[in-house]
């Protein structure tokens, strides 16, 4: 290449590599960079080239790296979980691949090396039980909303409204809190309100028209696992307060009253002459305070719940209402059976009649094989 062509190529290659980096969510890209830095430090201590160009069998070095990562040599705590170790190995391997080199974890048959698979399997069996989020009972959410309405304060109402929306729409914290996250929170311009088939103009409609809305929807833009342009909607719940449509109306009225731009997150409120986001910490703190009052009655403690609990709460409520799992997966935008971890068999209404049904409807006979004697 001539100098001009070579310069253009190098410039475009750099931009293409930046596109590769942007192909995953920012937190994953940062984790990959951090894991490669750790790998380079490991190799420096071993006095070896991190690209392993002169190493015939790289797996023993990957094994030692994984062992040390597992036992806290490169982390703030010991006994790092097996999935985290696997993620570190994968990021190192994918960095090799991004440089055009073979992934040292992978055999010629395209599978992870047997030694690494067995090592990770060992760590999996040693891991403590997974700490799944627990669903928040509806009574807790009712308490939060009622207390906010009684208080009448702007910040309490904003937190309560977002908790209700997260419950009904099965939202992730990054979707219903306006804090830094890999998931974009829903904004005012992502909301639609309807009276029957008629869509309401949120910018010009009067309050009475907005309060008359009987259906609300959210449009996905850049939310995690959401199909861009997909719309999910809900009608009124029938409750005069605990209703997704009414909570959205309240948020729209608040944002509109203070002339918020269309891109303002729903999880925002204007107080002390400035916009303040509803954070995941605000949600968790509010739920924990309510759980301290009512939680023991429903079988859990404040430490059992956080902002992540609302998605599980909505999914479990649908399960208790005998909504089939395929529909729950559709509403919650799950793309795999990961949804099942949210559907808690600890929910008493789900398991209430199983023992009775096993006795009354579970009798069966087995078709005999040829070795069973005939009578």
């Amino acid at each position: 290449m001539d100098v001009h062509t070579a310069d253009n190529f190098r410039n475009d290659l750099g931009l293409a590599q930046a596109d590769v980096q942007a192909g995953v969510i920012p937190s994953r890209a940062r984790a990959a960079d951090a894991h490669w830095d750790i790998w380079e430090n490991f190799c420096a201590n071993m006095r070896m080239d991190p690209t392993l160009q002169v190493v015939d069998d790289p797996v023993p070095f990957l094994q030692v790296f994984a062992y040390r990562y597992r036992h806290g040599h490169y982390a703030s705590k010991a006994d790092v979980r097996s999935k985290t170790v696997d993620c570190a190995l994968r990021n190192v391997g994918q960095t090799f691949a991004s440089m055009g080199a073979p992934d040292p974890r992978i055999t010629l048959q395209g599978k992870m090396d047997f030694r690494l698979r067995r090592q990770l399997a060992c760590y999996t069996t040693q891991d403590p039980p997974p700490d799944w989020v627990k669903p928040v009972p509806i009574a807790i959410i009712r308490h939060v909303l009622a207390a906010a309405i009684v208080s009448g304060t702007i910040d309490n109402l904003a937190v309560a409204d977002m908790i209700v929306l997260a419950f009904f729409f099965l939202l992730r914290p990054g979707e219903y809190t306006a804090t830094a996250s890999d998931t974009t929170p829903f904004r005012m311009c992502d909301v639609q309100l309807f009276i029957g088939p008629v869509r309401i103009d949120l910018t010009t409609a009067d309050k009475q028209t907005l309060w008359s809305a009987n259906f609300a929807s959210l449009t996905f833009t850049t939310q995690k696992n959401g199909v861009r342009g997909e719309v999910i909607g809900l009608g009124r719940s029938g409750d005069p307060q605990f209703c997704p449509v009414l909570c959205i109306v309240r948020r729209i009225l608040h944002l509109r009253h203070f002339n918020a731009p269309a891109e303002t997150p729903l999880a925002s409120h204007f107080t002390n002459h400035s916009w303040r986001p509803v954070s995941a910490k605000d949600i968790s703190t509010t739920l924990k305070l309510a759980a301290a009052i009512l939680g023991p009655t429903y079988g859990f403690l404040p430490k059992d719940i956080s902002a992540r609990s609302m998605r599980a709460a909505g999914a479990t409520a649908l399960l208790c209402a005998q909504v089939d799992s395929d529909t729950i997966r559709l509403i919650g935008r799950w793309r795999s059976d990961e949804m099942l971890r949210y559907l808690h068999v600890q929910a008493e209404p789900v398991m209430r009649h199983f023992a009775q049904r096993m006795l009354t409807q579970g009798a069966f006979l087995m078709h005999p094989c040829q070795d069973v004697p005939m009578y």
Side-chain angles (χ1 to χ4, degrees):
M1 297 180 188
D2 57 63
V3 174
H4 179 70
T5 302
D7 286 343
N8 285 340
F9 177 83
R10 281 191 292 269
N11 180 67
D12 290 345
L13 178 59
L15 294 174
Q17 290 173 337
D19 289 342
V20 172
Q21 187 82 346
V24 295
I25 59 178
S27 63
R28 185 173 297 179
R30 291 192 296 269
D33 291 340
H35 289 147
W36 181 254
D37 289 341
I38 294 171
W39 170 255
E40 285 188 321
N41 291 333
F42 166 77
C43 292
N45 290 333
M46 301 293 294
R47 300 181 183 276
M48 57 185 289
D49 179 4
T51 63
L52 304 178
Q53 292 185 13
V54 296
V55 177
D56 293 331
D57 183 6
V59 172
F61 296 99
L62 292 171
Q63 286 184 284
V64 174
F65 173 77
Y67 175 84
R68 293 181 180 178
Y69 198 97
R70 164 75 169 180
H71 294 289
H73 288 239
Y74 312 117
S76 59
K77 63 179 181 179
D79 297 328
V80 176
R81 287 181 179 268
S82 59
K83 284 189 175 180
T84 306
V85 179
D86 187 19
C87 180
L89 285 172
R90 181 172 61 252
N91 284 331
V92 169
Q94 289 179 347
T95 302
F96 274 85
S98 70
M99 296 185 290
D103 185 334
R105 303 171 304 141
I106 306 302
T107 66
L108 294 176
Q109 290 73 37
K111 297 182 179 180
M112 181 182 288
D113 185 272
F114 169 82
R115 292 163 288 182
L116 291 173
R117 282 192 287 115
R118 278 293 175 89
Q119 186 176 357
L120 291 172
C122 170
Y123 296 159
T124 299
T125 60
Q126 294 172 351
D127 279 349
D131 186 21
W132 303 130
V133 295
K134 292 187 177 180
V136 180
I138 292 177
I140 295 290
I141 307 173
R142 285 187 182 277
H143 174 84
V144 168
L145 180 61
I149 292 174
V150 170
S151 74
T153 59
I154 291 174
D155 52 349
N156 287 344
L157 282 171
V159 171
D161 284 341
M162 298 317 298
I163 287 174
V164 171
L165 294 182
F167 168 76
F168 280 109
F169 283 96
L170 277 60
L171 301 181
R172 298 176 175 84
E175 295 169 343
Y176 76 96
T177 61
T179 48
S181 171
D182 295 328
T183 298
T184 304
F186 285 102
R187 305 161 300 171
M188 186 164 61
C189 60
D190 297 325
V191 175
Q192 300 84 40
L193 290 172
F194 298 84
I195 299 177
V198 179
R199 181 177 175 180
I200 301 172
D201 187 333
L202 301 184
T203 60
T204 61
D206 57 34
K207 289 185 179 180
Q208 183 177 356
T209 300
L210 290 175
W211 284 119
S212 299
N214 53 23
F215 191 86
S217 66
L218 299 173
T219 300
F220 286 85
T221 53
T222 58
Q223 287 76 19
K224 182 180 178 182
N225 281 9
V227 178
R228 292 190 179 185
E230 183 180 28
V231 178
I232 181 170
L234 291 171
R236 289 208 181 202
S237 67
D239 189 284
Q241 295 177 340
F242 193 8
C243 172
V245 178
L246 298 180
C247 286
I248 285 180
V249 170
R250 183 159 42 237
R251 300 314 324 137
I252 294 298
L253 286 173
H254 174 78
L255 295 173
R256 198 175 71 169
H257 178 74
F258 291 100
N259 300 314
E263 291 74 24
T264 304
L266 279 179
S268 302
H269 57 92
F270 194 83
T271 183
N272 295 328
H273 308 292
S274 64
W275 286 102
R276 183 183 181 278
V278 174
S279 68
K281 183 179 179 181
D282 294 332
I283 300 293
S284 296
T285 299
T286 300
L287 291 172
K288 289 178 184 296
L289 287 174
I293 300 171
L294 299 177
T297 304
Y298 296 95
F300 67 96
L301 300 172
K303 67 180 180 65
D304 295 329
I305 60 176
S306 70
R308 295 187 302 120
S309 299
M310 300 313 303
R311 188 163 162 82
T316 305
L318 288 169
L319 180 68
C320 292
Q322 299 184 348
V323 176
D324 66 272
S325 60
D326 288 339
T327 301
I328 297 174
R329 179 184 297 173
L330 182 65
I331 296 172
R333 291 104 45 220
W334 278 288
R335 296 181 178 178
S336 68
D337 289 335
E338 179 193 20
M339 171 205 66
L340 296 176
R341 76 187 224 192
Y342 288 90
L343 304 184
H344 282 256
V345 294
Q346 287 180 250
E348 189 270 337
V350 176
M351 305 301 294
R352 180 182 299 157
H353 301 296
F354 277 8
Q356 178 186 5
R357 290 171 61 185
M358 290 167 74
L359 291 182
T360 59
Q361 304 173 32
F364 59 89
L365 295 174
M366 298 291 291
H367 289 295
C369 66
Q370 61 184 15
D371 295 328
V372 175
M374 295 183 295
Y375 295 97

